[in-house]
Amino acid sequence: MSVEIDTSAFTEEAYELLSELEASLLELEESPGDQELIGRVFRAMHTIKGSGAMFGFDEVAEFTHEVETVFDMARNKTISVTKPLIDLTLAARDQIRAMLDAAAGGEPANKDNAQRIIQGLRALLPGANASAGAAAPATNKKPPAQASDHEPHVYRIRIKPSPELFANGTNPLLLLGELRELGEDCQIIAQYDKLPPLENLDPERCYTTWEVFLTTKQSENAIRDIFIFVEDQCELNIRLLDREEVLGTDVQKLGNILVQRGDIPEEALEKVLKPIGDRLVESGVVSPSQVKAALAEQNAIKAKRDKKVQAESATSVRVPSEKLDNLVDLVGELVTVQARLNQTASTRQDHDLQLIAEEVERLTGELRDNTMSIRMLAIGTTFNKFKRLVRDLSTELGKKIELTTEGAETELDKTVIDQLNDPLVHIIRNSIDHGIETPEVRISKGKNPEGLIHLSAIHSGANVLIRVEDDGKGLDPDALVRKAIEKGQIPPDAQLTDKEAFQLIFGAGFSMAEKITNVSGRGVGMDVVRKSIDALRGSIDIVSELGKGTIITLKLPLTLAIIEGLLVRVGDELFVLPLAAVEECVELSRQDVVNAHGRHVINVRDEIVPYIRIRDRFDIGGEPPDIEQIVISDVEGKRTGFVVDSVIGQHQTVIKSLGKNFEHSEEFSGATILGDGTVALILDLSKMVRYVEAEEEDLTEPVAA
Amino acid sequence: MGKKIMTVDDSSSVRQMVGLTLKGAGYDVVEAVDGQDALTKLKASPVDMVVTDLNMPNMDGITLIKELRALPNFKFIPIVMLTTESQAGRKQEGKAAGATGWIVKPFKPPQLLEVIKKVLG
């Protein structure tokens, strides 16, 4: 971050303060006991020092600090205000003024003079000789952080805040968050044994204590620094765990020895051996959360030990990808069954069953995330292929192009990566052919003769953004519109925004190339790109500036198998809308429909949003409710509403394909099975919008012609 | 919308610097010239956080913190004090009054933002 700060604000203010200081000092000479005046002098010095240092006037700040120290004592009545003090302070005032003038380009200030004033002031202090050196300017002394070792350590950190912690505006969660950021692995266990029964609970007091197991390369001081503001309000206990615990050798346990000697059968041992934690809890010695904390400690150490072992043996396993696909399918089934279990548990109102259902839900969630992460691959290999492509094509076309990449480590579902290759090839080809100019043209435009294509990938929520950026000639919206009119793809009087004009390049058979080259110009390509990205449930965004370059951004879901959806009801039918596209839900009353005079638009906070009635679209019978819901979604950069009877809620959707018989029903991207076994269709929002648009054009065209 | 922070300082240059730094980081900033001014403005419109100097005319920072903590709207918001005195006494006094933390002047913009992030999130 760099904020350029104008120092003139400081100098102007300092001059003002200095004249005020002079006036106060002269008044003070008349009435040396006036605390109000002493306070004023102190504050003036204090401000000059503080802001001086911030604006880089270190010399002024150091010098002023000396004067301030003396006046602080006068303020605390340690010394009294005398004539010599006032004389010296006036001289100091002149000295500061000289220093400021010098900084503004005037004559350099006399350093000996400054030294003389400081010595004079120090002589006024009680016990002057002894403490002459002690009055050195106060600095932010922080002990240098211990050089962190290469090897990470496991720390156990106990945080026991005082109940009044909240009264100082401290949010302990932020501190725990900072701790988490410090390390590679961090387990936080809240202990709420001290939590009183609800009727006695004061929500303004903090009853929780935390136990944290942190694996980090940072030193203990770095951990303590996080708690600097709450040192006196927290009992903080930090202990380095590894060394003896991790390196200690195992000693045979008594039970094992007995079994080995044949004195007892193994089953007998297991019967007696309950986890020690359970036994301790039963006997009331410890609370369950204390046991949980101790277990976490054990796990943290184990994990570290396991890591050591792992590092020595092989770290990866190669399996055929069909096996992974099967695994994902099974997890999908499991998620579906789990939804059914949840539903059954809640309809039966069986408390025990609900507890089990919740546990299964948690496990299924973890299993799903883990399985998905196994299928994740870094996009880097795909990026590398393009280096060759760019090199070959640019030579062929007599252009000089450099390809840079960023975010090669970004991970995406394997199936997404597989299907991403062709669209990216098309986009990069277009950049090379249409975007980047020849070296001669570039030089004449004052650009670097070597063109640049930048390929990047970053995570953004549940999506990955893949960006192809070139510094070529950019897209000309007017030319695009002319071409589209020429080809009859849009009516001659069409008014398009730049963004809409850019979208024209995705039209079938659209080409801007003056001549057909080997590389591009046949008008196949970008419409194929659009189709592939649609199939991946992604979207394309184009930003372009004429003469400067073009940025094409592909927004893709991380995975194809399971999405977050919004479950809605129309009549007796259930539908799922991809949650990623949903922006908000608003109500549509009969009155709204009347107000719009039959047009399918609604005014949402002064913005006109068109909507599609799912009921009409799919000929669903029955009467709509008096107040319907509009789910407003972002479809290719335009806000579009979808009218439904009611919104049921968020639903984790395992996508099932519809099978061959339904492959022409393009308005649905698949189906999903709900908890009670019913099927809900997943809507493909952008296809729906495109169909409706196409139909409306068919309807309006004869009228317009 | 960014979170709103009030900066209270009698020095316009400090206010300017703190203000620029915070705005640069995407926060909304309101300014007050002393404790009295701050209290009046805050009663009219609450903020998410307060950064206040300690030595000010009319009403000093410690009094301001005490007054704010007595108001329901400001009971739990982060309040950070700007101090030059690195002596423990002044910090203790501030903490006792209800300050969340402190920044020792002089400081550079990144240090300020670090503290803001620490207490405001």
Side-chain angles (χ1 to χ4, degrees), chain A residues 6 51 96 129 163 208 284 286 314 388 434 479 497 618 625 634 642 681:
Chain A
D6 188 7
S51 28
I96 296 171
N129 292 333
T208 322
V286 290
R388 183 65 195 272
H434 302 303
T497 62
F618 300 133
D634 176 35
F642 295 88
L681 291 166

Side-chain angles (χ1 to χ4, degrees), chain A residues 192-203 207:
Chain A
Y192 18 77
D193 316 337
K194 300 269 156 31
L195 204 66
L198 190 58
E199 61 266 31
N200 300 340
L201 186 133
D202 178 354
Y207 298 101

Side-chain angles (χ1 to χ4, degrees), chain A residues 190-415:
Chain A
Q191 297 191 300
Y192 18 77
D193 316 337
K194 300 269 156 31
L195 204 66
L198 190 58
E199 61 266 31
N200 300 340
L201 186 133
D202 178 354
E204 298 188 354
R205 290 167 75 88
C206 178
Y207 298 101
T208 322
T209 60
W210 287 274
E211 194 146 320
V212 181
F213 299 94
L214 178 72
T215 311
T216 178
K217 287 181 184 170
Q218 301 282 335
S219 68
E220 188 180 322
N221 280 341
I223 299 172
R224 283 197 187 277
D225 276 353
I226 292 179
F227 295 93
I228 180 161
F229 289 157
V230 290
E231 268 173 337
D232 46 350
Q233 289 174 298
C234 258
E235 252 177 63
L236 190 65
N237 183 320
I238 302 178
R239 198 174 145 233
L240 190 61
L241 282 187
D242 48 359
R243 304 263 187 265
E244 67 268 38
E245 279 91 336
V246 177
L247 302 174
T249 48
D250 286 336
V251 177
Q252 276 268 48
K253 293 204 174 73
L254 177 65
N256 290 343
I257 298 172
L258 285 170
V259 172
Q260 272 174 15
R261 290 161 66 116
D263 291 347
I264 52 166
E266 206 167 333
E267 296 86 326
L269 182 66
E270 266 162 24
K271 221 179 249 176
V272 193
L273 281 184
K274 244 194 219 172
I276 184 152
D278 291 357
R279 279 185 286 166
L280 287 172
V281 172
E282 274 166 24
S283 62
V285 186
V286 290
S287 73
S289 59
Q290 279 167 324
V291 171
K292 210 170 143 202
L295 275 176
E297 175 170 338
Q298 200 177 30
N299 286 339
I301 294 168
K302 267 192 200 153
K304 186 161 153 91
R305 211 189 271 182
D306 289 350
K307 249 186 211 162
K308 274 192 180 158
V309 177
Q310 251 177 33
E312 285 157 17
S313 60
T315 51
S316 63
V317 182
R318 214 174 248 273
V319 289
S321 55
E322 304 100 74
K323 281 196 179 178
L324 287 183
D325 293 347
N326 286 339
L327 185 60
V328 171
D329 284 349
L330 286 173
V331 170
E333 303 277 343
L334 190 61
V335 170
T336 314
V337 172
Q338 182 261 315
R340 265 173 70 190
L341 177 63
N342 266 10
Q343 190 148 350
T344 314
S346 69
T347 37
R348 292 210 183 155
Q349 301 207 320
D350 179 339
H351 181 66
D352 290 340
L353 188 59
Q354 270 173 2
L355 279 181
I356 299 174
E358 275 168 25
E359 193 71 354
V360 173
E361 183 174 12
R362 187 181 62 78
L363 287 172
T364 318
E366 274 177 32
L367 183 61
R368 182 202 62 204
D369 292 347
N370 274 312
T371 314
M372 290 301 163
S373 73
I374 296 177
R375 287 221 305 194
M376 294 292 187
L377 284 181
I379 200 166
T381 43
T382 313
F383 278 6
N384 284 337
K385 283 190 218 155
F386 297 131
K387 289 215 166 112
R388 183 65 195 272
L389 175 81
V390 170
R391 190 190 151 276
D392 290 356
L393 278 183
S394 52
T395 325
E396 193 180 315
L397 295 166
K399 295 178 182 181
K400 278 189 185 159
I401 299 171
E402 193 196 351
L403 177 77
T404 54
T405 60
E406 190 184 328
E409 71 289 346
T410 309
E411 289 189 331
L412 260 171
D413 194 296
K414 188 183 145 298
T415 35

Side-chain angles (χ1 to χ4, degrees), chain A residues 13 46 168 178 204 226 229, chain B residues 12-13 84 95 99-100 118:
Chain A
E13 185 183 56
H46 183 76
N168 278 62
E178 267 187 78
E204 298 188 354
I226 292 179
F229 289 157
Chain B
S12 69
S13 63
T84 35
K95 285 287 296 190
T100 314
K118 188 182 186 71

Side-chain angles (χ1 to χ4, degrees), chain A residues 570-591:
Chain A
V570 183
D572 293 332
E573 304 289 328
L574 294 167
F575 297 97
V576 172
L577 282 72
L579 196 63
V582 173
E583 289 191 337
E584 59 179 324
C585 300
V586 297
E587 288 182 349
L588 176 72
S589 65
R590 289 264 157 90
Q591 192 56 42

Side-chain angles (χ1 to χ4, degrees), chain A residues 123 310 429 501 673:
Chain A
Q310 251 177 33
R429 277 190 174 180
I673 303 168

Side-chain angles (χ1 to χ4, degrees), chain A residues 441-456:
Chain A
V441 176
R442 290 182 68 88
I443 290 169
S444 74
K445 290 200 172 149
K447 287 182 177 177
N448 187 340
E450 187 168 345
L452 193 70
I453 295 181
H454 186 69
L455 198 56
S456 66

